[in-house]
Structures are given as C-alpha cells and as structure tokens.
C-alpha cells in the first residue's frame, strides 16, 4: 500500500487554522494599603472588587460572542472522507442488457468552502454588534458606580466610629480624673460617697461603650475589605482627614436632573435599540438565504483494496444555493408581533424608570437638606455643650455646683459630640445618594 497517496487527499481536505491571540485576564492586585485615603480605597476596589472584575470578564465574553456570531460571514471550509465496501454491486439496465456497475472498494476525500451572501441572522448580528458592546460596557459602569458608593459609605462609617472612639477615650480620661477627685473629696470629708459612686458607674458605662465600638469596628473593617475585594487576612490601614471630610459635605442643590446621566436609563435605551433590531431581524426572515459554494473531491475505486489508492479521479463543483421560506405556519408573523410588544414593554419600563429616578432624586435631595441642617445644628451644640461643661467644671471645683450637675453637663457634651458625628455621616451618605440620583458619581 502506498501511504503517501493515502495522506495526500487528507492533507488537502483539512483546512488551515489561524492562531488566535487571547487577551490575558487582569490579575488581582494583592498589596497592603498603608494610610489609605478614601480615593485610594476606591481605586483599589475598582481594580479588585469581584463584581467589577466579573463585569470586565463579561465584556470579554461578550466580545467573543460577537466575534463568534460575525464569523459566519467568513468562508466556512469543511473536509470529509469516506470508504465503502460494496458487498453487492449495483446492477442497472442498459437497453436490453443488465449490467453490473461499480467496484468492490470505493473511497472519497474532499473539501468544500461555503460563503454566505445573504443571511438575515448575519445581517442582524452585524447591526447589533456595537449595541451589545455598549451594553456590556454599561453593565461595567453600573457595577463601578455602586462600588464607589458602597466603599465611600463604608469608609465614612469607619471614620465616624473612629471619631466616636476618640470621643469615648476623652470621656474616659475625664471620668477617671473626676472619679479620682470625687474620691479624694470623699476621703477629705467634703462630700459623701454618692459622688464617687456615680463617677464609678459613669466610668464603667464609658468603658463598656468603648468595648462595643472597638468590636463593631472589626466588623466594619471586614465589610470595607469585602466591598474593596481586599484580602481578609491582610491589614487595612486608613488615613482620615476630618477637615477635608467636613469640607466635602457641601453640594450644589440647584443641579438639574438629567435622565440621560443615569446608567439605568441608558441601559434601558440600549435594550430598546436591541429589541428594535430584533424586530427588524424577524422582518428580514422573509428574505431568502443565498450562499455560494465550491468543492473538490478525490474519488478512488478498485476491486483490489491494496490498489485502491493507486489512482484517483478528481471532480469539482461550484455554484449558488438559494433557500426561500415560503410558508412557516405564521411563525414569522407571530415573532414580529411578539418583538413589537416587547418594544412597547421596554417603552413602559423607560417611563417607569423616569418616575423612579425623579422620586429617588427628590427623596435624596430632601434627606440631604434635612441632614445638612441637622449637621449645622449639631456642630453648634457641640460648642455650646463644651462651654457649658467647662463652666460647670470650674464651678464644681469651687464648690458652687453639685457633682450631679457636672455629670449632666458631661453627658450633654458626649451626646452632642456623638450626635454631631452621626449627623456628619448621614450628611455624607445623603450627598452620595444625591450624586447617584443625579448620575454624577465619578471614578
């Protein structure tokens, strides 16, 4: 047997494959942040947050889907091969004679190239490619926006708790001194034991508050790490600038609401365009499908298997294939009507989303204005309560005020400080809500 003659048709029928260069996936940035600011936390999250990274992978998957759909416009090359052993040769009638035709062994190797010329599915794929790319990018943008908002709120929450912890430490220091002074006065017979017992109770409560804040901070740091995609086992050090935080609370409340700025609205518009293209595709399905083809075959036949591939008889055909769907049981008409109804449904989604965005904006703006007023009031109350406490403290040391009045002033100071921090956090969070409602979150 001559194997070179056997391999020749096989090599001819196998298409050449072009190498595909795949983009490398972005690797997670694993580094420890030292004294990280809010912006650094946001930047880290936009590179490492799993949902953001999944969105980027979805973009690449979408690009592969688009390229796969558009590849139908390229020539489609196939190879084939067969071998047959004719147990009973075919007999045919030639005039009055009965003739046995064919050979015992037959084999064919060949290849065919097909080129689509007119195809409704490929036309629709070409028209919708850029809109699918846009949709994938919009999903990524949406994921990034929510990441920025969530990380910012978690950062502010930790800032508030850290400041509350600092206030509690100051309060503990004051109470420890007050307890020492009250006990000294009790030892000197100036006051009874009630004062230092009260100081002891207040100090115990303050230490309990500190323990609660410290434990809650652990969970808040864990939450921030999760939102950032930061390794749980690594230390996260944050840098807080209270002055810049206070200066960042102001917002231009005269900005006009523009629905086009909202990614949710633009996503629906993209879906509306894709649905419109789908309607057009269903209309194009009435068109015929036209393709061209060319093939080349190597035919072998011989009564002796050992000599089967000694000689081949080629043949080649080229031509056009036209397929015209005439009647499909009204399926195409039903698909057109269905797609048109889906377009109308998306139109209602757009209308409903407009109403939701407007309500969200009005609610966020009202909350921001109320929180801004609360913050200003709380800031004033801190100064007033501090002045009151300092005055009563001096009067208590002079024996003019009672210890109960001093404790009341101290409680008022601590409460006003905590209220100020809570108001600051609420204001910063509501500012983010307004920016998100306006669609002005940047990253």
């Amino acid at each position: 047997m001559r194997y070179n003659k056997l391999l020749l048709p096989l090599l001819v029928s196998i298409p050449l494959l072009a190498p595909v260069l795949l983009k490398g996936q972005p690797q997670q940035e694993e580094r420890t942040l030292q004294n990280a600011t809010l912006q650094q936390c946001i930047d880290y999250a936009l590179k490492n947050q799993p949902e953001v990274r999944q969105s980027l992978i979805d973009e690449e998957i979408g690009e592969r889907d688009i390229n796969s759909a558009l590849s139908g416009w390229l020539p489609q090359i196939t190879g084939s091969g067969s071998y047959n052993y004719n147990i009973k040769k075919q007999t045919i009638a030639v005039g009055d004679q009965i003739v046995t035709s064919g050979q015992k062994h037959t084999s064919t190797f060949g290849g065919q190239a097909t080129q689509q010329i007119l195809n409704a599915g490929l036309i629709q794929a070409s028209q919708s490619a850029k809109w699918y790319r846009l949709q994938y990018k919009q999903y990524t943008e949406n994921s990034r926006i929510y990441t920025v908002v969530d990380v910012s709120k978690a950062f502010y929450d930790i800032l508030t708790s850290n400041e509350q912890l600092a206030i509690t430490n100051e309060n503990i220091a004051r109470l420890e001194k007050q307890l020492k002074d009250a006990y000294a006065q009790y030892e000197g017979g100036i006051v009874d034991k009630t004062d230092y017992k009260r100081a002891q109770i207040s100090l115990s409560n303050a230490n309990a508050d500190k323990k609660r804040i410290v434990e809650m901070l652990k969970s808040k740091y864990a939450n921030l790490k999760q939102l950032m995609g930061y390794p749980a086992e690594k230390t996260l050090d944050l840098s807080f600038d209270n002055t810049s935080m206070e200066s960042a609370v102001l917002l231009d409340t005269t900005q006009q609401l523009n629905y086009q700025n909202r990614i949710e609205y633009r996503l629906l518009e993209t879906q509306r365009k894709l649905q419109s293209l789908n309607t057009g595709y269903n209309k194009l399905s009435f068109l015929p499908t036209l393709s061209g083809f060319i093939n080349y075959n190597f035919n072998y036949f011989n009564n002796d298997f050992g000599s089967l591939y000694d000689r081949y008889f080629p043949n080649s055909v080229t031509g056009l294939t036209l397929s015209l769907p005439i009647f499909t049981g009204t399926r195409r008409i039903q698909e057109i009507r269905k797609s048109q109804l889906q377009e109308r449904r998306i139109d209602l989604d757009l209308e409903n989303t407009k109403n939701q965005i407007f309500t969200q904006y009005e609610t966020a703006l009202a909350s921001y204005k109320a929180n801004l007023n609360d913050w200003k009031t709380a800031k004033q109350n801190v100064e007033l309560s501090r002045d009151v406490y300092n005055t009563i403290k001096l009067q208590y040391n002079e024996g003019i005020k009672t210890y109960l009045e001093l404790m009341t002033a101290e409680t008022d100071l601590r409460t006003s400080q905590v209220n100020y921090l809570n108001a600051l956090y609420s204001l910063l969070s509501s500012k983010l809500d307004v920016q998100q409602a306006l669609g002005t979150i940047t990253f």
Side-chain angles (χ1 to χ4, degrees), residues 211-231:
K211 178 66 174 176
R212 177 181 55 81
I213 295 171
V214 169
E215 294 301 323
M216 289 302 297
L217 269 172
K218 293 178 182 178
S219 67
K220 292 178 180 181
Y221 269 98
N223 179 54
L224 179 58
K225 287 181 180 180
Q226 176 191 343
L227 294 173
M228 291 173 56
Y230 193 86

PDB file of all heavy atoms in Angstrom, residues 211-231:
ATOM      1  N   LYS A 211     -15.663  49.313  74.509  1.00  0.00           N
ATOM      2  CA  LYS A 211     -15.576  47.913  74.085  1.00  0.00           C
ATOM      3  C   LYS A 211     -16.523  47.632  72.927  1.00  0.00           C
ATOM      4  O   LYS A 211     -16.162  46.957  71.944  1.00  0.00           O
ATOM      5  CB  LYS A 211     -15.913  46.999  75.267  1.00  0.00           C
ATOM      6  CG  LYS A 211     -15.898  45.520  74.943  1.00  0.00           C
ATOM      7  CD  LYS A 211     -14.518  45.015  74.593  1.00  0.00           C
ATOM      8  CE  LYS A 211     -14.502  43.513  74.417  1.00  0.00           C
ATOM      9  NZ  LYS A 211     -13.177  43.007  73.985  1.00  0.00           N
ATOM     10  N   ARG A 212     -17.733  48.173  72.983  1.00  0.00           N
ATOM     11  CA  ARG A 212     -18.712  47.962  71.910  1.00  0.00           C
ATOM     12  C   ARG A 212     -18.226  48.582  70.611  1.00  0.00           C
ATOM     13  O   ARG A 212     -18.323  47.978  69.540  1.00  0.00           O
ATOM     14  CB  ARG A 212     -20.055  48.567  72.328  1.00  0.00           C
ATOM     15  CG  ARG A 212     -21.133  48.475  71.253  1.00  0.00           C
ATOM     16  CD  ARG A 212     -22.420  49.126  71.722  1.00  0.00           C
ATOM     17  NE  ARG A 212     -22.187  50.495  72.136  1.00  0.00           N
ATOM     18  CZ  ARG A 212     -22.100  51.521  71.293  1.00  0.00           C
ATOM     19  NH1 ARG A 212     -22.199  51.325  69.972  1.00  0.00           N
ATOM     20  NH2 ARG A 212     -21.907  52.738  71.744  1.00  0.00           N
ATOM     21  N   ILE A 213     -17.684  49.796  70.682  1.00  0.00           N
ATOM     22  CA  ILE A 213     -17.202  50.479  69.478  1.00  0.00           C
ATOM     23  C   ILE A 213     -16.041  49.717  68.852  1.00  0.00           C
ATOM     24  O   ILE A 213     -15.969  49.548  67.630  1.00  0.00           O
ATOM     25  CB  ILE A 213     -16.787  51.922  69.812  1.00  0.00           C
ATOM     26  CG1 ILE A 213     -18.004  52.733  70.252  1.00  0.00           C
ATOM     27  CG2 ILE A 213     -16.130  52.589  68.607  1.00  0.00           C
ATOM     28  CD1 ILE A 213     -17.658  54.103  70.819  1.00  0.00           C
ATOM     29  N   VAL A 214     -15.110  49.242  69.699  1.00  0.00           N
ATOM     30  CA  VAL A 214     -13.954  48.504  69.202  1.00  0.00           C
ATOM     31  C   VAL A 214     -14.394  47.228  68.484  1.00  0.00           C
ATOM     32  O   VAL A 214     -13.881  46.894  67.402  1.00  0.00           O
ATOM     33  CB  VAL A 214     -12.983  48.170  70.353  1.00  0.00           C
ATOM     34  CG1 VAL A 214     -11.916  47.183  69.892  1.00  0.00           C
ATOM     35  CG2 VAL A 214     -12.333  49.443  70.888  1.00  0.00           C
ATOM     36  N   GLU A 215     -15.344  46.514  69.053  1.00  0.00           N
ATOM     37  CA  GLU A 215     -15.828  45.274  68.432  1.00  0.00           C
ATOM     38  C   GLU A 215     -16.566  45.563  67.135  1.00  0.00           C
ATOM     39  O   GLU A 215     -16.415  44.844  66.144  1.00  0.00           O
ATOM     40  CB  GLU A 215     -16.730  44.512  69.407  1.00  0.00           C
ATOM     41  CG  GLU A 215     -16.018  43.979  70.642  1.00  0.00           C
ATOM     42  CD  GLU A 215     -14.884  43.035  70.285  1.00  0.00           C
ATOM     43  OE1 GLU A 215     -15.021  42.253  69.322  1.00  0.00           O
ATOM     44  OE2 GLU A 215     -13.835  43.080  70.967  1.00  0.00           O
ATOM     45  N   MET A 216     -17.360  46.630  67.122  1.00  0.00           N
ATOM     46  CA  MET A 216     -18.098  46.983  65.908  1.00  0.00           C
ATOM     47  C   MET A 216     -17.157  47.427  64.794  1.00  0.00           C
ATOM     48  O   MET A 216     -17.422  47.190  63.612  1.00  0.00           O
ATOM     49  CB  MET A 216     -19.111  48.095  66.206  1.00  0.00           C
ATOM     50  CG  MET A 216     -20.292  47.635  67.057  1.00  0.00           C
ATOM     51  SD  MET A 216     -21.211  46.273  66.299  1.00  0.00           S
ATOM     52  CE  MET A 216     -21.817  47.065  64.803  1.00  0.00           C
ATOM     53  N   LEU A 217     -16.041  48.055  65.176  1.00  0.00           N
ATOM     54  CA  LEU A 217     -15.067  48.477  64.164  1.00  0.00           C
ATOM     55  C   LEU A 217     -14.496  47.288  63.411  1.00  0.00           C
ATOM     56  O   LEU A 217     -14.208  47.374  62.218  1.00  0.00           O
ATOM     57  CB  LEU A 217     -13.940  49.276  64.822  1.00  0.00           C
ATOM     58  CG  LEU A 217     -14.130  50.791  64.886  1.00  0.00           C
ATOM     59  CD1 LEU A 217     -13.041  51.432  65.733  1.00  0.00           C
ATOM     60  CD2 LEU A 217     -14.134  51.389  63.484  1.00  0.00           C
ATOM     61  N   LYS A 218     -14.322  46.172  64.109  1.00  0.00           N
ATOM     62  CA  LYS A 218     -13.799  44.974  63.447  1.00  0.00           C
ATOM     63  C   LYS A 218     -14.725  44.534  62.313  1.00  0.00           C
ATOM     64  O   LYS A 218     -14.269  44.204  61.212  1.00  0.00           O
ATOM     65  CB  LYS A 218     -13.633  43.852  64.466  1.00  0.00           C
ATOM     66  CG  LYS A 218     -12.565  44.107  65.522  1.00  0.00           C
ATOM     67  CD  LYS A 218     -12.495  42.958  66.520  1.00  0.00           C
ATOM     68  CE  LYS A 218     -11.464  43.230  67.620  1.00  0.00           C
ATOM     69  NZ  LYS A 218     -11.443  42.128  68.621  1.00  0.00           N
ATOM     70  N   SER A 219     -16.024  44.539  62.580  1.00  0.00           N
ATOM     71  CA  SER A 219     -16.979  44.130  61.542  1.00  0.00           C
ATOM     72  C   SER A 219     -17.046  45.163  60.419  1.00  0.00           C
ATOM     73  O   SER A 219     -17.218  44.809  59.247  1.00  0.00           O
ATOM     74  CB  SER A 219     -18.366  43.920  62.151  1.00  0.00           C
ATOM     75  OG  SER A 219     -18.908  45.155  62.610  1.00  0.00           O
ATOM     76  N   LYS A 220     -16.880  46.438  60.765  1.00  0.00           N
ATOM     77  CA  LYS A 220     -16.933  47.479  59.736  1.00  0.00           C
ATOM     78  C   LYS A 220     -15.708  47.426  58.828  1.00  0.00           C
ATOM     79  O   LYS A 220     -15.814  47.665  57.615  1.00  0.00           O
ATOM     80  CB  LYS A 220     -17.069  48.856  60.395  1.00  0.00           C
ATOM     81  CG  LYS A 220     -18.425  49.048  61.072  1.00  0.00           C
ATOM     82  CD  LYS A 220     -18.548  50.397  61.760  1.00  0.00           C
ATOM     83  CE  LYS A 220     -19.922  50.530  62.419  1.00  0.00           C
ATOM     84  NZ  LYS A 220     -20.102  51.832  63.085  1.00  0.00           N
ATOM     85  N   TYR A 221     -14.562  47.117  59.390  1.00  0.00           N
ATOM     86  CA  TYR A 221     -13.366  46.927  58.571  1.00  0.00           C
ATOM     87  C   TYR A 221     -13.533  45.702  57.658  1.00  0.00           C
ATOM     88  O   TYR A 221     -13.122  45.716  56.492  1.00  0.00           O
ATOM     89  CB  TYR A 221     -12.127  46.759  59.440  1.00  0.00           C
ATOM     90  CG  TYR A 221     -11.417  48.056  59.757  1.00  0.00           C
ATOM     91  CD1 TYR A 221     -11.617  48.711  60.962  1.00  0.00           C
ATOM     92  CD2 TYR A 221     -10.539  48.627  58.842  1.00  0.00           C
ATOM     93  CE1 TYR A 221     -10.964  49.912  61.256  1.00  0.00           C
ATOM     94  CE2 TYR A 221      -9.886  49.811  59.114  1.00  0.00           C
ATOM     95  CZ  TYR A 221     -10.097  50.454  60.327  1.00  0.00           C
ATOM     96  OH  TYR A 221      -9.453  51.637  60.594  1.00  0.00           O
ATOM     97  N   ALA A 222     -14.124  44.629  58.209  1.00  0.00           N
ATOM     98  CA  ALA A 222     -14.361  43.426  57.398  1.00  0.00           C
ATOM     99  C   ALA A 222     -15.302  43.739  56.241  1.00  0.00           C
ATOM    100  O   ALA A 222     -15.112  43.263  55.113  1.00  0.00           O
ATOM    101  CB  ALA A 222     -14.926  42.313  58.270  1.00  0.00           C
ATOM    102  N   ASN A 223     -16.322  44.564  56.511  1.00  0.00           N
ATOM    103  CA  ASN A 223     -17.265  44.941  55.460  1.00  0.00           C
ATOM    104  C   ASN A 223     -16.574  45.758  54.370  1.00  0.00           C
ATOM    105  O   ASN A 223     -16.796  45.542  53.170  1.00  0.00           O
ATOM    106  CB  ASN A 223     -18.411  45.752  56.076  1.00  0.00           C
ATOM    107  CG  ASN A 223     -19.419  46.209  55.045  1.00  0.00           C
ATOM    108  OD1 ASN A 223     -19.965  45.412  54.282  1.00  0.00           O
ATOM    109  ND2 ASN A 223     -19.684  47.501  55.010  1.00  0.00           N
ATOM    110  N   LEU A 224     -15.706  46.702  54.781  1.00  0.00           N
ATOM    111  CA  LEU A 224     -14.990  47.518  53.802  1.00  0.00           C
ATOM    112  C   LEU A 224     -14.052  46.657  52.965  1.00  0.00           C
ATOM    113  O   LEU A 224     -13.938  46.839  51.746  1.00  0.00           O
ATOM    114  CB  LEU A 224     -14.208  48.620  54.513  1.00  0.00           C
ATOM    115  CG  LEU A 224     -13.382  49.543  53.615  1.00  0.00           C
ATOM    116  CD1 LEU A 224     -14.267  50.229  52.578  1.00  0.00           C
ATOM    117  CD2 LEU A 224     -12.627  50.579  54.446  1.00  0.00           C
ATOM    118  N   LYS A 225     -13.368  45.713  53.598  1.00  0.00           N
ATOM    119  CA  LYS A 225     -12.480  44.812  52.856  1.00  0.00           C
ATOM    120  C   LYS A 225     -13.263  44.030  51.798  1.00  0.00           C
ATOM    121  O   LYS A 225     -12.805  43.856  50.660  1.00  0.00           O
ATOM    122  CB  LYS A 225     -11.788  43.844  53.817  1.00  0.00           C
ATOM    123  CG  LYS A 225     -10.693  44.458  54.671  1.00  0.00           C
ATOM    124  CD  LYS A 225     -10.060  43.402  55.571  1.00  0.00           C
ATOM    125  CE  LYS A 225      -8.958  43.977  56.432  1.00  0.00           C
ATOM    126  NZ  LYS A 225      -8.340  42.943  57.299  1.00  0.00           N
ATOM    127  N   GLN A 226     -14.430  43.550  52.186  1.00  0.00           N
ATOM    128  CA  GLN A 226     -15.254  42.788  51.236  1.00  0.00           C
ATOM    129  C   GLN A 226     -15.654  43.666  50.051  1.00  0.00           C
ATOM    130  O   GLN A 226     -15.575  43.242  48.892  1.00  0.00           O
ATOM    131  CB  GLN A 226     -16.494  42.257  51.939  1.00  0.00           C
ATOM    132  CG  GLN A 226     -17.458  41.541  50.993  1.00  0.00           C
ATOM    133  CD  GLN A 226     -18.795  41.246  51.638  1.00  0.00           C
ATOM    134  OE1 GLN A 226     -18.925  41.273  52.861  1.00  0.00           O
ATOM    135  NE2 GLN A 226     -19.795  40.973  50.823  1.00  0.00           N
ATOM    136  N   LEU A 227     -16.083  44.891  50.326  1.00  0.00           N
ATOM    137  CA  LEU A 227     -16.511  45.798  49.261  1.00  0.00           C
ATOM    138  C   LEU A 227     -15.355  46.190  48.352  1.00  0.00           C
ATOM    139  O   LEU A 227     -15.564  46.485  47.171  1.00  0.00           O
ATOM    140  CB  LEU A 227     -17.144  47.049  49.874  1.00  0.00           C
ATOM    141  CG  LEU A 227     -18.451  46.832  50.643  1.00  0.00           C
ATOM    142  CD1 LEU A 227     -18.877  48.117  51.347  1.00  0.00           C
ATOM    143  CD2 LEU A 227     -19.557  46.356  49.714  1.00  0.00           C
ATOM    144  N   MET A 228     -14.135  46.197  48.891  1.00  0.00           N
ATOM    145  CA  MET A 228     -12.959  46.564  48.094  1.00  0.00           C
ATOM    146  C   MET A 228     -12.351  45.374  47.376  1.00  0.00           C
ATOM    147  O   MET A 228     -11.531  45.565  46.467  1.00  0.00           O
ATOM    148  CB  MET A 228     -11.895  47.177  49.011  1.00  0.00           C
ATOM    149  CG  MET A 228     -12.240  48.530  49.590  1.00  0.00           C
ATOM    150  SD  MET A 228     -11.018  49.069  50.822  1.00  0.00           S
ATOM    151  CE  MET A 228      -9.497  48.980  49.867  1.00  0.00           C
ATOM    152  N   GLY A 229     -12.708  44.151  47.772  1.00  0.00           N
ATOM    153  CA  GLY A 229     -12.014  42.988  47.246  1.00  0.00           C
ATOM    154  C   GLY A 229     -10.637  42.858  47.864  1.00  0.00           C
ATOM    155  O   GLY A 229      -9.706  42.328  47.247  1.00  0.00           O
ATOM    156  N   TYR A 230     -10.507  43.343  49.105  1.00  0.00           N
ATOM    157  CA  TYR A 230      -9.220  43.349  49.811  1.00  0.00           C
ATOM    158  C   TYR A 230      -9.068  42.034  50.566  1.00  0.00           C
ATOM    159  O   TYR A 230     -10.026  41.551  51.177  1.00  0.00           O
ATOM    160  CB  TYR A 230      -9.200  44.523  50.791  1.00  0.00           C
ATOM    161  CG  TYR A 230      -7.848  44.866  51.370  1.00  0.00           C
ATOM    162  CD1 TYR A 230      -6.982  45.721  50.693  1.00  0.00           C
ATOM    163  CD2 TYR A 230      -7.454  44.364  52.598  1.00  0.00           C
ATOM    164  CE1 TYR A 230      -5.752  46.059  51.233  1.00  0.00           C
ATOM    165  CE2 TYR A 230      -6.221  44.698  53.145  1.00  0.00           C
ATOM    166  CZ  TYR A 230      -5.373  45.548  52.461  1.00  0.00           C
ATOM    167  OH  TYR A 230      -4.160  45.883  52.993  1.00  0.00           O
ATOM    168  N   PRO A 231      -7.870  41.407  50.534  1.00  0.00           N
ATOM    169  CA  PRO A 231      -7.686  40.130  51.227  1.00  0.00           C
ATOM    170  C   PRO A 231      -8.038  40.240  52.709  1.00  0.00           C
ATOM    171  O   PRO A 231      -7.548  41.131  53.408  1.00  0.00           O
ATOM    172  CB  PRO A 231      -6.194  39.836  51.022  1.00  0.00           C
ATOM    173  CG  PRO A 231      -5.817  40.592  49.794  1.00  0.00           C
ATOM    174  CD  PRO A 231      -6.646  41.828  49.811  1.00  0.00           C
TER     175      PRO A 231
END
